Amino acid sequence: MNYNVLFAGFGGQGILFQGKVMAYAGLIDGQEVSWLPSYGPEMRGGTANCSVCLSHEPIGSPLVVTPNAFVVLNGPSYNKFINEVEDGGVVVYESSLVPDIVEREGITQYGVDATRIAEENGLKGLGNIIMLGKLFSVLHFCDEQSLYKAVEKCVPPKKAHLIEANIKALKLGMTL
Amino acid sequence: MSERVLMKGNEALAEAALRAGCRNFFGYPITPQTEVAAYMSKQLPKVGGVYMQAESEVSAINMVLGCGASGKRALTSSSSPGISLKTEGISYMAGSDVPAVIVNVQRGGPGLGGIQPSQSDYWQATRAPGHGDLHIIVLAPSTVQEMVDLMMGAFDIAEKYRMPAMILADGMLGQMMEPVEIPEAVDVSKIEKPWATNGHRNKRPHNIINSLYIEAQELESIVKARFERYEQIKANEQRAECFMTDDSEITIVAYGACARVAKNAVRAAREKGIKAGLIRPITLWPFPTDAVRNAAATTKTFISVEMSMGQMVDDVRLAVNGAVPVEFFGRTGGVIPTPNEVLAQIEKNAGGTK
């Protein structure tokens, strides 16, 4: 299975981090992976996105133009990319931040009220990771343990105390 | 075997330069290569190296010239507009036979252009990286791992032939993360550079590093000797990856980020029964003429695929020398072609050759 995933939202929502955890999990799993951030004017205007590919073949273009999985944390990004999602694709959207859902046949969309759920569970700021947990529960893109190990790799040493909360957020997301 | 880690291309370039024994970096920030400089600014002081953010690119390249002349491994990195500023110093280095490594993480041009990935500095890198009769070695990675591998070898090849070497990357390769295995550091302390101007306490005649030769005859003979060296490089250092070219009838030539896209398109074309193949130049100067000529035995059409208006296509045409048609497909200004766009070009040409 090739996973061509687009993560999108506002800068500061942890979009690039979400993608990095997924990419690292794939790497730990022994898959070929790539991670490509947007660094253009759109990022400077407030939105951020990154492309993540997981595959058992070497990855050609790391730029995901037509994702088969789309994780989205704001309305503008949802509107920009929703019609690019491949048929059969999966969308995980932040239901309180993406107000207008486009009904599209052939794709499966999961709304997650991640920001609120994070706050209610003492995981403020980890809505992004809850959403990654949800994506994992739908796609199982790697071994579950690889995902937890990836968190340990991606959380910087100075913030090591946040590893536990990130893993809790992943597990919480998997139950939604 | 060391652990595979996830690294940005720019950071991988910087780490590889450190492992290659480079302890001297002179630069000036510019998107999308700034992580090279940022990484060096953090790491070099820890290992007793010199990190210098110069006041301009012109200044930085002249620091590289001075440092390289002393026999030390020196690195500078920039992106397209910054490289234009460095060309004066690159010419002086070529004219003084000083080795060093220059990184160009290309962005769209001309002028300030944009900050998205591009390959529109091919002509500059391979034709005129400075004024005068000169070449520099130009290496084109297409994965983050290759960023590391080519950087590790770039200093060696630059020193072997006493000339500047350039890593010609682009914003996509610089910004993306991929798994990478970083080799062990090499010991460069034993490399002899009898030409270096590094102080000798009057134990030998002093060395002169210079590019000024007022006598025309003298300058001509020096340039000619240098071009004999260039011929050796053309004979010995051409490198290319050939993918499915044994029987390819439509052969793509693409380097760097574009080669990754093209490879997807070649695979997709094969699934449709089209005999497509890919030649991926790893050295752009010397251009892998031999690989292209070999592929011409079965190829009915070459397509040069680039993120430019068509620059490398000139070298493909020179190599093919009229034997078969050479087409071009490209996007420019920072737009990355999609595999489907390239596939459409392959299909179009396959239809024409049936």
Side-chain angles (χ1 to χ4, degrees):
Chain A
M1 177 69 193
N2 294 330
Y3 300 100
N4 297 319
V5 188
L6 187 66
F7 295 90
F10 289 121
Q13 283 180 314
I15 305 298
L16 303 187
F17 186 80
Q18 268 180 325
K20 190 175 173 185
V21 172
M22 179 173 178
Y24 234 117
L27 166 62
I28 292 166
D29 235 29
Q31 301 184 53
E32 299 294 332
V33 310
S34 68
W35 174 97
L36 178 72
S38 59
Y39 64 94
E42 74 276 26
M43 191 173 87
R44 277 138 222 239
T47 63
N49 67 68
C50 75
S51 298
V52 172
C53 301
L54 267 59
S55 176
H56 289 284
E57 301 282 324
I59 290 160
S61 175
L63 180 69
V64 174
V65 185
T66 55
N68 54 24
F70 179 35
V71 178
V72 55
L73 280 82
N74 70 10
S77 300
Y78 180 91
N79 295 334
K80 185 172 174 189
F81 296 114
I82 190 65
N83 289 320
E84 309 304 324
V85 177
E86 276 182 10
D87 281 343
V90 168
V91 178
V92 178
Y93 63 92
E94 215 293 358
S95 53
S96 64
L97 300 172
V98 180
D100 301 312
I101 299 307
V102 177
E103 294 298 331
R104 243 197 75 190
E105 282 197 15
I107 62 171
T108 315
Q109 306 194 56
Y110 302 90
V112 178
D113 196 358
T115 310
R116 183 182 59 79
I117 294 169
E119 285 185 19
E120 286 174 3
N121 287 276
L123 299 168
K124 195 165 188 285
L126 293 179
N128 59 335
I129 300 301
I130 289 174
M131 292 183 69
L132 183 62
K134 176 65 188 178
L135 183 73
F136 178 83
S137 74
V138 178
L139 292 180
H140 296 284
F141 50 78
C142 68
D143 181 77
E144 191 175 328
Q145 293 305 315
S146 302
L147 194 57
Y148 303 139
K149 282 183 205 153
V151 168
E152 291 171 22
K153 288 278 184 189
C154 294
V155 173
K158 279 180 192 166
K159 294 184 179 173
H161 59 284
L162 294 176
I163 290 173
E164 205 177 315
N166 273 274
I167 289 173
K168 195 179 159 194
L170 278 174
K171 288 182 174 170
L172 181 58
M174 290 177 202
T175 66
L176 299 173
Chain B
M1 205 170 106
S2 67
E3 190 191 7
R4 293 215 305 167
V5 294
L6 207 54
M7 256 183 141
K8 265 195 167 189
N10 283 338
E11 293 176 344
L13 276 177
E15 180 60 36
L18 292 172
R19 302 285 172 120
C22 172
R23 291 292 178 271
N24 307 279
F25 179 91
F26 310 94
Y28 189 82
I30 181 170
T31 302
Q33 68 75 49
T34 300
E35 292 87 356
V36 181
Y39 194 94
M40 285 306 212
S41 74
K42 276 190 197 136
Q43 301 301 326
L44 274 171
K46 293 182 193 167
V47 293
V50 172
Y51 169 83
M52 177 73 77
Q53 182 171 316
E55 73 273 29
S56 74
E57 287 87 349
V58 177
S59 174
I61 194 71
N62 281 290
M63 291 174 183
V64 170
L65 165 59
C67 183
S70 77
K72 299 291 184 188
R73 292 192 158 183
L75 176 71
T76 187
S77 72
S78 192
S79 179
S80 309
I83 295 293
S84 290
L85 288 166
K86 290 182 196 286
T87 55
E88 180 194 59
I90 294 171
S91 173
Y92 278 54
M93 287 197 297
S96 315
D97 301 309
V98 169
V101 176
I102 299 134
V103 172
N104 182 1
V105 183
Q106 297 171 91
R107 58 188 251 183
L112 275 177
I115 58 172
Q116 297 300 323
S118 163
Q119 297 181 323
S120 54
D121 300 347
Y122 181 93
W123 279 334
Q124 183 190 51
T126 61
R127 297 295 190 279
H131 61 277
D133 281 321
L134 70 93
H135 283 294
I136 61 173
I137 291 155
V138 184
L139 306 168
S142 88
T143 64
V144 175
Q145 183 67 55
E146 209 172 28
M147 294 277 237
V148 170
D149 299 341
L150 292 182
M151 177 60 91
M152 293 291 290
F155 284 102
D156 293 333
I157 192 169
E159 287 169 0
K160 181 178 175 187
Y161 295 104
R162 281 186 65 187
M163 62 194 283
M166 177 178 280
I167 308 271
L168 191 68
D170 61 70
M172 186 174 103
L173 292 167
Q175 292 297 321
M176 71 185 286
M177 284 202 280
E178 268 188 322
V180 61
E181 194 186 328
I182 308 274
E184 293 295 314
V186 295
D187 178 12
V188 295
S189 63
K190 302 283 191 296
I191 298 174
E192 301 220 352
K193 292 172 187 164
W195 48 265
T197 50
N198 54 359
H200 54 91
R201 299 171 195 237
N202 293 323
K203 284 182 182 155
R204 57 163 169 77
H206 65 273
N207 289 332
I208 295 173
I209 301 273
N210 171 48
S211 68
L212 177 66
Y213 299 94
I214 292 293
E215 293 294 335
Q217 303 289 346
E218 187 188 12
L219 180 54
E220 184 188 48
S221 68
I222 283 170
V223 171
K224 280 188 166 175
R226 199 172 287 129
F227 269 70
E228 280 169 21
R229 220 179 326 146
Y230 294 163
E231 287 303 315
Q232 286 174 27
I233 297 169
K234 285 185 193 172
N236 299 332
E237 306 293 347
Q238 290 181 29
R239 287 176 64 190
E241 176 195 352
C242 294
F243 177 71
M244 296 189 166
T245 53
D246 286 347
D247 63 344
S248 65
E249 294 178 358
I250 308 284
T251 305
I252 306 270
V253 185
Y255 72 96
C258 242
R260 303 175 64 112
V261 177
K263 205 182 241 186
N264 281 16
V266 165
R267 281 204 190 92
R270 285 273 172 177
E271 280 172 19
K272 293 187 168 201
I274 300 169
K275 286 184 178 172
L278 169 70
I279 295 174
R280 180 176 70 83
I282 298 169
T283 54
L284 300 181
W285 198 93
F287 188 74
T289 305
D290 297 346
V292 173
R293 283 192 187 142
N294 289 342
T298 60
T299 299
K300 292 176 179 168
T301 307
F302 285 93
I303 311 174
S304 187
V305 177
E306 307 171 43
M307 295 192 295
S308 75
M309 289 302 288
Q311 300 190 5
M312 182 177 69
V313 65
D314 290 355
D315 279 332
V316 180
R317 288 199 173 113
L318 285 169
V320 172
N321 201 19
V324 291
V326 178
E327 305 287 339
F328 167 75
F329 175 73
R331 298 298 302 265
T332 197
V335 180
I336 301 167
T338 64
N340 281 341
E341 284 175 319
V342 180
L343 177 60
Q345 290 300 313
I346 295 173
E347 288 178 313
K348 192 173 123 192
N349 283 285
T353 55
K354 267 174 194 165

